[in-house]
Amino acid sequence: MDLLAVAAASLLLVTAVPYLCYLALYAWIRPQGSPADKRPAEPTVSIVLPTYNEERIVETKLDDLLELDYPMEKVELVVVDSSTDDTRTIVREYFADLTAPELVMLEEDERRGLAPALNDAYDAASNEVVVKTDCDSKLSPDVLREAVANLADDDVAAVTGRNAEVLGGSEVESGYRGVQSHIQQLESHLDSTLIFHGPFCAFENDALLPIDPNSLADDTELALKIRRQGERVVFDPAVTYMEASHSEFVKRRKQKDRRGMGLIRLLVQHRDALGKYGNYGRVVLPFNWWFMIVSPWLLVATLAVGTAAAVSLFGGGGLAAPVAVGGFVYLGQKDLLGPVQALYSIFDTQVSLLRASIALVVGDADGTWDVDAELREAFK
């Protein structure tokens, strides 16, 4: 038997085993809904909204917030703005004739990155629950009620939710978010989930901790730190929002790569948490280490050795293997893979995680975020 073929098969098996184990664990536990003891509640809420040159969409976002099914007299909006356009003027004019919610405007003279801006906003938030949301996302009307119902559980200090619809029609991102939702639901039932989502996450104010000013994964970092201080952080599929995303391979790279860099760096920074904090350190973190750091490199090795094995066994005909992978990528980024589109979504994420690992190694990581005009149009 060809040694290259054996090596390729072995690499593929090693790469797949943790995923198969997670699938088996999911089938055994069969997680449903949120693991929290949800109860109706109506605490005061501070909504934190970071903005940068959002003049085209900020009014739409404010309309979205005022349509939430929650008493606005119990809500304050904390806007932290570093714009060079008319964003803050639009926000002030919007609130000029409103008695509720209360507006707290933090104005930055220069951009410092998202994490420092959020640290200031969290410090300014005065209410019992602090919600962070992005300007280019839409929230379900019941999202606050669902979130605070989770936080009514004394063991739960933070909750995030599910992207119910990908604005812009990206089947690639929709497929990945579907897979990710199942993973996060399992993690939450095991203990706590790792990843928190920028479009919507909610925290008990008393549980908030400072974020690393250089963080590229601010929401997940905050959730991870809260879990490390002994409180649960969960995913609830009933907490829903909508976020825009690209399908095209090249356009997705910057959006996905930056997220990947932040998550990988965070895992490495908190590597001492492995094996600690119950199932969070024994199961959740190791799986995420595998998915984000180990698996992308094994996948590349598998493709490289597999191609070499195919050429060794079939000569020039073996080049059909990389051609088939190229066709898979082409059809996947065109959203044309039908029932296996979700599989491509995972492959696409592994590509971003590999690129993110390389960027971190060479020191190419930037804490600022850019306005994506196409995604803004999808949001509008």
Side-chain angles (χ1 to χ4, degrees):
M1 183 177 291
D2 189 280
L3 289 179
L4 284 173
V6 172
S10 299
L11 283 168
L12 182 60
L13 179 63
V14 169
T15 304
V17 163
Y19 297 106
L20 296 175
C21 290
Y22 235 56
L23 281 172
L25 192 58
Y26 188 93
W28 177 43
I29 295 177
R30 296 184 180 181
Q32 297 291 325
S34 170
D37 179 16
K38 293 174 67 173
R39 299 187 302 276
E42 210 170 80
T44 57
V45 177
S46 297
I47 299 177
V48 169
L49 180 67
T51 56
Y52 174 70
N53 288 356
E54 314 284 3
E55 63 179 6
R56 298 174 63 188
I57 64 169
V58 69
E59 190 168 352
T60 301
K61 179 64 178 184
L62 296 176
D63 288 342
D64 182 55
L65 294 177
L66 262 67
E67 290 171 4
L68 294 175
D69 175 24
Y70 207 81
M72 286 296 119
E73 64 272 12
K74 290 192 171 186
V75 176
E76 70 172 2
L77 177 64
V78 182
V79 177
V80 55
D81 181 72
S82 57
S83 299
T84 57
D85 65 4
D86 291 329
T87 298
R88 64 187 65 169
T89 300
I90 294 171
V91 172
R92 284 201 197 90
E93 290 177 351
Y94 189 98
F95 278 85
D97 298 322
L98 292 178
T99 57
E102 179 184 353
L103 173 65
V104 178
M105 176 72 79
L106 305 180
E107 300 181 13
E108 295 189 322
D109 294 330
E110 60 181 29
R111 294 186 75 194
R112 299 172 295 153
L114 180 57
L118 286 175
N119 278 332
D120 287 349
Y122 291 149
D123 284 342
S126 61
N127 287 337
E128 298 165 275
V129 170
V130 177
V131 166
K132 186 261 182 177
T133 185
D134 293 334
C135 208
D136 58 349
S137 63
K138 296 190 177 197
L139 307 180
S140 298
D142 65 350
V143 70
L144 285 184
R145 293 202 177 276
E146 294 289 348
V148 299
N150 281 273
L151 298 178
D153 185 332
D154 292 338
D155 292 332
V156 175
V159 60
T160 191
R162 175 174 61 91
N163 192 352
E165 179 184 347
V166 178
L167 302 173
S170 171
E171 292 296 327
V172 179
E173 187 65 13
S174 180
Y176 175 65
R177 291 301 181 97
V179 172
Q180 187 182 57
S181 292
H182 288 297
I183 292 173
Q184 290 192 270
Q185 197 165 24
L186 174 60
E187 292 174 343
S188 296
H189 282 261
L190 288 170
D191 185 301
S192 296
T193 191
L194 172 69
I195 296 176
F196 263 49
H197 302 290
F200 184 90
C201 45
F203 310 92
E204 290 184 343
N205 198 330
D206 292 343
L208 292 175
L209 296 163
I211 306 166
D212 178 354
N214 297 313
S215 179
L216 299 177
D218 46 272
D219 307 304
T220 296
E221 178 182 334
L222 183 50
L224 192 157
K225 287 182 173 180
I226 290 173
R227 179 61 189 92
R228 293 196 66 164
Q229 68 179 7
E231 297 175 281
R232 290 183 73 183
V233 296
V234 301
F235 166 86
D236 182 359
V239 174
T240 58
Y241 59 85
M242 293 177 282
E243 182 185 22
S245 182
H246 292 295
S247 273
E248 188 177 332
F249 189 84
V250 174
K251 290 181 179 179
R252 284 173 56 76
R253 297 284 60 87
K254 189 168 186 178
Q255 183 185 32
K256 294 282 287 187
D257 293 0
R258 184 184 181 279
R259 290 175 181 171
M261 283 189 288
L263 293 169
I264 291 169
R265 189 163 75 178
L266 188 64
L267 285 173
V268 173
Q269 287 173 336
H270 290 267
R271 58 191 177 276
D272 63 313
L274 287 167
K276 303 176 184 176
Y277 312 106
N279 286 330
Y280 188 69
R282 291 194 294 263
V283 181
V284 174
L285 290 182
F287 177 78
N288 280 280
W289 265 80
W290 187 266
F291 180 74
M292 296 183 200
I293 298 176
V294 180
S295 175
W297 291 97
L298 283 176
L299 182 61
V300 169
T302 301
L303 291 174
V305 175
T307 298
V311 171
S312 175
L313 290 171
F314 305 110
L319 294 175
V323 171
V325 172
F328 175 72
V329 172
Y330 176 79
L331 293 174
Q333 59 96 14
K334 295 290 187 181
D335 297 332
L336 296 175
L337 288 176
V340 297
Q341 187 67 43
L343 183 62
Y344 171 75
S345 302
I346 297 173
F347 175 85
D348 175 85
T349 299
Q350 293 282 282
V351 170
S352 275
L353 290 166
L354 178 66
R355 286 168 53 93
S357 295
I358 295 170
L360 287 170
V361 169
V362 301
D364 184 19
D366 185 2
T368 59
W369 74 100
D370 297 320
V371 173
D372 189 313
E374 287 188 56
L375 293 185
R376 293 301 190 266
E377 285 300 319
F379 173 78
K380 290 175 67 179

